[in-house]
Amino acid sequence: MLRNFGVNPGKGLLKHKVFWALILVPVSLGLVLMVVSAACAGLLFQLDLTPQGFNFFYSEFKFHLALMALAIPLGATFSRAHSSEQTASLITQAIVKDNKEKELSRRQGFLDCIGIYDEKLISNESRINF
């Protein structure tokens, strides 16, 4: 199901376009809305670094900051999904490798057993070589 959303365990997290979209879209949308709101209010080129200015900025642009902060949980959620897919892929590869090694070990053990019986007879009466 997660593969439909662009999670590919073979690629690194930073190479996924969905990951960057989940981070950059909320941040850029928040910044654009912040600039537009400031331009509409006539506050675009006013900089007030006093505590009153900070309180005004926070009260006026609270929604924009919250929108930009969505990038963190969205990116973390995608990161965890990617990590889970990578772990599942590694576990699957380890199981396949282990099964192949077990099969080769069984075959080698069988061939070793056959080597013991090359010179022996199946039955003393019929003298049929194994």
Side-chain angles (χ1 to χ4, degrees):
M1 179 178 160
L2 290 175
R3 293 187 198 283
N4 296 336
F5 296 110
V7 177
N8 182 359
K11 287 173 42 178
L13 179 65
L14 299 179
K15 293 182 180 178
H16 282 85
K17 293 177 183 176
V18 175
F19 175 71
W20 287 109
L22 287 172
I23 291 176
L24 295 177
V25 167
V27 171
S28 60
L29 185 62
L31 286 174
V32 167
L33 287 176
M34 191 178 289
V35 169
V36 168
S37 297
C40 289
L43 304 171
L44 193 57
F45 297 108
Q46 294 179 1
L47 184 62
D48 187 9
L49 298 177
T50 63
Q52 293 82 15
F54 178 76
N55 289 334
F56 175 77
F57 172 80
Y58 183 71
S59 66
E60 291 298 316
F61 298 110
K62 198 181 297 185
F63 172 74
H64 309 1
L65 292 172
L67 185 64
M68 288 189 284
L70 280 177
I72 295 170
L74 290 176
T77 301
F78 186 84
S79 171
R80 292 307 307 152
H82 180 262
S83 175
S84 297
E85 285 292 320
Q86 277 187 328
T87 302
S89 175
L90 289 174
I91 289 171
T92 303
Q93 290 174 2
I95 289 172
V96 167
K97 182 181 175 187
D98 188 45
N99 287 342
K100 285 182 181 180
E101 288 176 358
K102 285 180 183 177
E103 180 63 29
L104 288 175
S105 175
R106 273 184 282 212
R107 287 182 184 181
Q108 187 60 43
F110 179 71
L111 291 176
D112 290 343
C113 288
I114 290 177
I116 294 171
Y117 293 108
D118 275 347
E119 301 298 324
K120 296 188 178 184
L121 300 174
I122 291 178
S123 115
N124 288 334
E125 297 172 5
S126 63
R127 296 291 217 201
I128 299 174
N129 286 333
F130 181 72

